[in-house]
Amino acid sequence: IVSEILRLNEDPNVQGLALDLPESLYSSKVLNAVKPEKDVDGLSNVNLGCLICGDVNDCLVPPTVSAVMELLEDLGGKTVLLLGARGTLGAALQSQLQREGAAVLSCCWEAPQLQTQLRHADVVVLGSAKPDDVPVSWIKPGATIISCAHDLLSEKHYYGQQNNPATEKSVGSLAVAMRMQNMVKNMERWIQSQQHRKWNLHCLKLQPLSPVPSDIEISRAQSPKAVDVLAKEIGLLTDEIEIYGQTKAKVRLSLLERLKDQPDGKYVLVAGITPTPLGEGKSTVTVGLVQALTAHLNINSFACLRQPSQGPTFGVKGGAAGGGYAQVIPMEEFNLHLTGDIHAITAANNLLAAAIDARILHENTQSDKSLYNRLVPVVNGVRGFSAIQLARLRRLGINKTDPETLTDEEISKFVRLDIDPSTITWQRVVDTNDRFLRKITVGQANTEKGFVRQAQFDIAVASEIMAILALTTSLQDMKERLGKMVVANDKKGEPVTAEDLGVTGALAVLMKDAIKPTLMQTLEGTPVFVHAGPFANIAHGNSSVLADKIALKLVGEKGFVVTEAGFGADIGMEKFFNIKCRASGLVPSVVVLVATVRALKMHGGGPNVTAGAPLKKEYTEENLQLVADGCCNLQKQIQITQLFGVPVVVALNVFKTDSPAEVDLVCEIAKESGAFDAVPCNHWSAGGRGAVKLAQAVEKAANQNNSFKYLYSLELPIVEKIRTIAQKVYGAEDIELSPVAQSQVDRYTRQGFGNLPICMAKTHLSLSHQPERKGVPTGFILPISDVRASIGAGFIYPLVGTMSTMPGLPTRPCFYDIDLDPITEQVKGLF
C-alpha cells in the first residue's frame, strides 16, 4: 500500500489521494506516506499539525470531523464526550470542538468513569462501535449521539422507546459529501498553485569586510539557502525541480507550459567595452545588479549566466562566478562540474565523431549486401528498419517499410553515405586547454586498416552541441537541431548530417538532462540560472534561451531578467541581438555596458596589460588624459548598441585605484555620447548595496521607448551579411575572403544555407582582427580565412584571421594554486 501511495505521490496527473482501507490498515506509516498537498482525507501528521495550530488555510479538515461539526450547532458551554476516538481523528475532533467553545472530554470504552461521564455529556461522539456491555441507559436523556464508527449503534432501536430519548445521528453519508468537498478544495488549491505567485524571498545578509577577502573566502563565509527553499520562494513547484546536492537544482521545462499565460518581465543584457586580458567584470556587474534589484529594491530579478569551461578555470582566467561581494555561490561548484552539462555535451559530441570515422571504415571494407545485413539485421527471425532508418529512406525518396522489398540500387543508396574525409568539419572535444590536440592523426592502429586522417580537438564549449543547447526552445526543437548538424559532405558535395548517421536519438538521450537550466543563488540569496557556456570569440557567447524564458515567467511582469553576453559589445552583444534574439523571439529592454577606468586607459594608449603581471603605474595613478583618449572605445560601443535601437546604461566598475575625477570624467563622456545614464558601481566591495543606483537607472531606462531592430536581413547574401557586421560594428573599411572561405560560402549557398545569421569568430581584444590595435581602429580590411556552418545551431561562422578553437596552457597555469584539503575536503586557490 505504501509503495502504491509513493508512486501516486509522484504522478503529476494525480492531485489528491483518498484512502479507503480496512480500519486495521490505517497506521501512522500509511497515513503519513501521503504527500501533505495530496492528502484529501487530512489525516497526515503535517495536516493535523496545521489544523491544531489554527493554520486552516494550509490544511484540510478530515471529512469525518467536518461532518460531525456540520451536524452540531451552538456548542458554546456544552460538554462533548469523545468516546473511543483515538489518534488523528480524536485529536482533530478535540481541536475543532474546542475552537467552537465546547468543553471536551475524552475516554475509552473500558474507562471506570465511563458511566459518570456519559451521564453528564450533552453530546457523545462515538469513534468506534459501542460494546454490548455498555447499556444505553447510561447516556444522559436528550443528549445528541453522533456515530463516526463504521457500524451503526447496536442498540439503535431502543432510543425511540425512551420517554426522553437521546438523538442519534450517523455521519456516514455526510462524511462522503465532505470528502468530495475536500477534493474540490484540493483541486482549487492545486489550480491556484499553478498560477504565478508573488515571491516570498528571504534575502541573505551581507557584512562586507575591508580589505575585501578573496572570492573563495567570501563565498565560504556565506551560508546559502537550501535550493528547495529558494525554489519554493520564487514560485517553483516541488515536481518542477530535480535537486543536485544542497545548493543546485535542475528546473524542468514543464514550467513554461504552466506559466504560458504569465506576462514576461523586463529583459536586460549586460555587455562591455573591448576588455583587457583581465576582463572588466560583466559577470560581477550582472550579479551585483540582481542583488541590488531584489535584496535592496524589493524587485523580482533573476540572473542568467553561462557555465564556465574548466579550460580557463585551470588555465589563465580562473573562476567565473562573479567576484568580491557579487558572486554566485557556492563558487567551487559553479566553477567545476556543476550538474554535468559540459560532460554531457562532450559525450554527445564525441559519440558523433566516433560514428563518422566508424561509418567511413565500415563502408570502405564491406560490400553493399554486408552493410545492409549489419545495418538492418534479422532479430528473432524478423528484419525491420528502426524509426531513424525509415526517416532516412523517406529523405532518399524510398517509400518502403519492408526491408525485403528494396532493390539493389535502393540498398546501395541507403547503406552508403560516401563521406568525403577531406570535408569532415566535426571535431572531437575535451574541456581542457590542451594545445597539443590542435592537430592530431587518427586511425593509426592496425585494426583501422590504413584509414588514417588528420583531425583536431576543440575545447568542449566550442562544440556545435553547446550552441544548440544555448539556442534551443524545447526538447523537440533540440532533437531536430541535433539531427540537422552537418558533419561533412559526401563525394557528390551534398551535406551529411547526424540524422544520416542515425545518431540523433542517442544524442538527444545524452542531452535530455542538460537541457534543463541549473538553479543557484547569489551571495544575497537571489536566484540565478546557470545554463550553457559557449565562448563569445569562437561561438555566440550567450547563456541559454530556455533559462531566459523560464526566468522571464518567474519574475512576473514587473520583474527583471539580467543576462550577460561575452566579451565586448562588438562580439557578444552583436551575436545576442542577431542570433539569440532571432532564435528566442525575445526583445531586450535595456543594455548595461560595463566599462573600467583600467580598460579605458589601455585604449587611450596605456602600456600592455598582461594577465598575472603587476599593473604599470599608468593604471594605478590618476591620468585624466589617458582616460579621455580611451573613451573613444566606450563611445564606439555605445554607438554599436544604438544600431539596435535599445537604450544603454553605462556601468563603470570602480576599482580602489580609480580617482573621483576619473570616474566623473567617464560618466560625463558616456552621457554626452548617448547613454541614457552612466553610473559608478561598487558592488565588488559592497554587494548589492553598491549597485543600487545602477539598478534604479536600469529600471528607468527599461521604461523608455524601445525601437529594437536587427542589424541585417537574413535574405542578404552571406558575404553581404559579413560585410555589414565588419563595417557597421567593427569599423572595417571592407572584408577580404580567402579562396577557401569563398569556396565555402559558395557551397553553403548552393546547399540552401544562405539565409542563416552570421556568428563571427574573431579576437575579443580589439575591434579589429589584430589584438594589439586598441581604441577604435579604422581603415583596416577584415580577413576572412575560412567559413564554416553550424546548421543545427542555425548560423554560419566565418573565421577572422587565425582563430584557434583550442586554447593552450600558459607557462604558469592556475592549477599551480588549486588544491584540496584532504581533511575538510575544501577546495583551495580557485580564485
Side-chain angles (χ1 to χ4, degrees):
I1 292 169
V2 169
S3 296
E4 180 63 11
I5 290 171
L6 294 176
R7 185 187 71 79
L8 293 169
N9 278 345
E10 301 308 317
D11 188 339
N13 297 313
V14 175
Q15 311 312 333
L17 290 178
L19 303 181
D20 278 314
L21 303 170
E23 194 164 351
S24 60
L25 293 178
Y26 279 99
S27 66
S28 176
K29 180 180 179 181
V30 170
L31 294 178
N32 287 302
V34 181
K35 268 189 176 180
E37 60 266 30
K38 294 190 178 186
D39 182 14
V40 169
D41 289 327
L43 296 175
S44 67
N45 287 349
V46 171
N47 194 83
L48 179 63
C50 291
L51 185 67
I52 290 173
C53 292
D55 299 332
V56 183
N57 293 331
D58 295 329
C59 67
L60 292 175
V61 179
T64 301
V65 176
S66 292
V68 170
M69 301 307 296
E70 188 75 17
L71 292 171
L72 294 175
E73 298 177 354
D74 192 20
L75 285 170
K78 290 185 179 180
T79 300
V80 178
L81 176 63
L82 303 180
L83 193 49
R86 297 184 295 272
T88 302
L89 177 64
L93 276 169
Q94 185 163 344
S95 168
Q96 292 299 92
L97 289 166
Q98 286 176 338
R99 193 164 284 120
E100 294 299 318
V104 183
L105 304 173
S106 179
C107 75
C108 59
W109 290 106
E110 298 81 15
Q113 69 275 27
L114 175 60
Q115 184 174 357
T116 303
Q117 290 185 339
L118 282 171
R119 178 59 59 186
H120 291 93
D122 302 306
V123 177
V124 180
V125 179
L126 307 182
S128 57
K130 182 182 78 64
D132 292 338
D133 60 348
V134 177
V136 174
S137 59
W138 287 6
I139 298 174
K140 177 181 178 179
T144 299
I145 304 171
I146 296 180
S147 173
C148 302
H150 291 292
D151 301 320
L152 293 176
L153 288 172
S154 58
E155 296 183 41
K156 178 179 179 181
H157 58 280
Y158 291 133
Y159 295 157
Q161 298 174 6
Q162 297 185 33
N163 294 329
N164 190 7
T167 304
E168 186 268 337
K169 301 174 184 178
S170 177
V171 300
S173 298
L174 186 54
V176 172
M178 292 301 180
R179 174 186 270 180
M180 292 171 69
Q181 191 176 70
N182 273 5
M183 289 178 179
V184 173
K185 286 180 181 177
N186 210 53
M187 184 55 73
E188 287 174 342
R189 283 201 314 196
W190 178 81
I191 291 171
Q192 190 175 13
S193 76
Q194 300 302 297
Q195 309 306 310
H196 181 267
R197 295 198 300 271
K198 181 177 171 58
W199 286 11
N200 183 26
L201 196 69
H202 166 67
C203 293
L204 304 177
K205 298 296 182 186
L206 274 186
Q207 294 180 325
L209 301 176
S210 182
V212 176
S214 70
D215 290 351
I216 202 162
E217 288 175 316
I218 293 170
S219 175
R220 289 212 181 115
Q222 185 66 287
S223 297
K225 291 179 281 190
V227 73
D228 57 331
V229 172
L230 173 63
K232 186 176 180 180
E233 288 177 343
I234 62 174
L236 286 164
L237 307 182
T238 53
D239 61 358
E240 288 173 341
I241 60 170
E242 299 169 5
I243 294 175
Y244 285 63
Q246 296 295 312
T247 55
K248 307 184 296 291
K250 286 284 193 183
V251 175
R252 292 177 180 160
L253 307 188
S254 57
L255 178 145
L256 284 171
E257 177 63 23
R258 174 170 71 87
L259 296 181
K260 63 183 178 183
D261 297 325
Q262 166 69 23
D264 288 347
K266 305 286 188 183
Y267 197 26
V268 179
L269 175 70
V270 176
I273 64 170
T274 305
T276 68
L278 306 177
E280 308 319 306
K282 290 188 306 300
S283 299
T284 311
V285 168
T286 301
V287 175
L289 176 55
V290 293
Q291 288 180 177
L293 283 165
T294 301
H296 299 274
L297 298 181
N298 199 29
I299 298 170
N300 290 356
S301 72
F302 232 111
C304 292
L305 299 174
R306 290 175 294 163
Q307 179 184 354
S309 163
Q310 288 181 25
T313 298
F314 292 96
V316 177
K317 191 169 180 283
Y325 286 101
Q327 286 188 61
V328 179
I329 56 171
M331 66 96 71
E332 306 101 301
E333 295 183 28
F334 178 92
N335 281 303
L336 296 175
H337 305 283
L338 199 64
T339 47
D341 293 356
I342 293 179
H343 300 315
I345 288 164
T346 303
N349 184 100
N350 293 344
L351 175 63
L352 180 52
I356 296 166
D357 287 326
R359 185 59 176 262
I360 295 172
L361 171 70
H362 295 313
E363 288 189 23
N364 284 346
T365 56
Q366 296 179 53
S367 66
D368 290 353
K369 185 177 180 181
S370 296
L371 280 169
Y372 193 60
N373 287 337
R374 286 180 169 86
L375 288 170
V376 194
V378 176
V379 180
N380 297 326
V382 179
R383 189 198 294 267
F385 293 117
S386 68
I388 202 164
Q389 288 176 329
L390 287 170
R392 171 161 167 75
L393 285 170
R394 287 192 294 271
R395 288 196 305 278
L396 293 171
I398 303 172
N399 296 311
K400 296 180 180 178
T401 57
D402 183 354
E404 306 299 341
T405 62
L406 266 66
T407 65
D408 289 346
E409 183 183 354
E410 288 170 339
I411 286 173
S412 183
K413 284 176 68 177
F414 172 71
V415 300
R416 294 208 175 270
L417 298 179
D418 278 332
I419 295 171
D420 179 353
S422 69
T423 68
I424 295 173
T425 55
W426 194 264
Q427 310 296 347
R428 289 167 173 82
V429 300
V430 64
D431 197 31
T432 303
N433 289 4
D434 191 344
R435 65 177 68 246
F436 281 87
L437 294 178
R438 289 171 178 168
K439 191 172 185 179
I440 61 170
T441 304
V442 296
Q444 294 195 34
N446 292 335
T447 49
E448 276 51 74
K449 302 177 183 179
F451 172 56
V452 178
R453 70 178 182 90
Q454 282 198 340
Q456 68 183 62
F457 269 77
D458 293 338
I459 189 90
V461 293
S463 170
E464 183 176 351
I465 297 177
M466 174 61 88
I468 287 173
L469 178 67
L471 292 170
T472 193
T473 54
S474 68
L475 198 53
Q476 180 62 35
D477 177 62
M478 182 179 74
K479 188 175 177 182
E480 291 172 3
R481 287 173 178 267
L482 291 171
K484 290 177 184 176
M485 293 187 301
V486 174
V487 300
N489 293 319
D490 64 20
K491 290 170 183 175
K492 295 177 183 176
E494 295 303 313
V496 177
T497 65
E499 186 81 1
D500 292 325
L501 284 157
V503 74
T504 307
L507 300 181
V509 167
L510 287 169
M511 293 295 294
K512 73 179 181 66
D513 291 321
I515 197 174
K516 303 163 191 170
T518 299
L519 176 66
M520 295 187 75
Q521 63 194 282
T522 68
L523 277 167
E524 298 193 49
T526 67
V528 178
F529 273 141
V530 186
H531 201 214
F535 284 170
N537 53 355
I538 56 177
H540 75 283
N542 287 271
S543 62
S544 79
V545 166
L546 280 170
D548 292 356
K549 285 195 165 188
I550 292 173
L552 284 164
K553 295 298 182 188
L554 286 170
V555 297
E557 194 170 7
K558 296 182 179 179
F560 285 80
V561 171
V562 184
T563 189
E564 172 231 349
F567 298 126
D570 57 304
I571 303 271
M573 186 192 73
E574 180 271 315
K575 295 171 183 176
F576 173 87
F577 288 139
N578 285 319
I579 297 175
K580 185 175 179 180
C581 289
R582 287 188 203 266
S584 68
L586 299 173
V587 175
S589 308
V590 61
V591 169
V592 174
L593 192 64
V594 178
T596 61
V597 168
R598 174 181 69 194
L600 293 172
K601 285 180 174 179
M602 179 190 71
H603 289 298
N608 286 339
V609 176
T610 306
L615 288 171
K616 302 286 194 332
K617 64 181 180 61
E618 286 85 350
Y619 296 105
T620 57
E621 298 174 1
E622 183 179 287
N623 191 322
L624 295 177
Q625 188 60 52
L626 267 185
V627 173
D629 291 345
C631 278
C632 61
N633 187 271
L634 173 61
Q635 292 169 312
K636 173 64 175 174
Q637 303 286 11
I638 292 171
Q639 290 166 14
I640 294 169
T641 308
Q642 291 171 333
L643 290 173
F644 298 93
V646 180
V648 57
V649 172
V650 170
L652 184 63
N653 205 3
V654 176
F655 289 73
K656 62 182 180 183
T657 53
D658 300 344
S659 74
E662 289 173 330
V663 170
D664 291 343
L665 178 61
V666 174
C667 292
E668 181 184 343
I669 292 174
K671 285 185 271 194
E672 289 174 354
S673 302
F676 174 80
D677 203 349
V679 184
C681 305
N682 296 288
H683 45 272
W684 182 80
S685 58
R689 190 177 305 281
V692 167
K693 289 183 179 178
L694 173 64
Q696 291 168 335
V698 166
E699 187 181 13
K700 290 177 184 174
N703 293 319
Q704 299 298 301
N705 291 332
N706 189 323
S707 54
F708 173 68
K709 56 184 178 293
Y710 300 118
L711 184 66
Y712 52 79
S713 166
L714 293 181
E715 304 307 314
L716 285 174
I718 292 173
V719 171
E720 287 308 309
K721 285 182 280 196
I722 297 172
R723 181 174 283 114
T724 300
I725 295 171
Q727 292 178 335
K728 292 189 176 181
V729 177
Y730 306 153
E733 186 175 311
D734 203 351
I735 61 173
E736 183 178 49
L737 273 69
S738 71
V740 171
Q742 186 61 60
S743 172
Q744 290 289 71
V745 167
D746 295 341
R747 172 178 288 163
Y748 295 140
T749 303
R750 187 179 68 253
Q751 292 174 344
F753 305 138
N755 62 344
L756 294 175
I758 303 299
C759 181
M760 302 288 279
K762 182 186 82 71
T763 179
H764 60 287
L765 296 173
S766 172
L767 285 161
S768 74
H769 58 288
Q770 298 165 299
E772 67 278 6
R773 296 190 67 179
K774 305 302 182 184
V776 183
T778 57
F780 61 94
I781 304 296
L782 194 73
I784 309 299
S785 59
D786 196 1
V787 177
R788 299 175 188 169
S790 293
I791 305 305
F795 52 72
I796 302 291
Y797 69 102
L799 274 69
V800 179
T802 54
M803 280 299 300
S804 173
T805 50
M806 169 57 81
L809 290 173
T811 305
R812 192 187 190 283
C814 292
F815 62 63
Y816 276 92
D817 301 311
I818 297 172
D819 200 359
L820 181 71
D821 187 315
I823 298 173
T824 64
E825 297 186 14
Q826 284 195 335
V827 177
K828 301 176 183 177
L830 201 66
F831 222 61

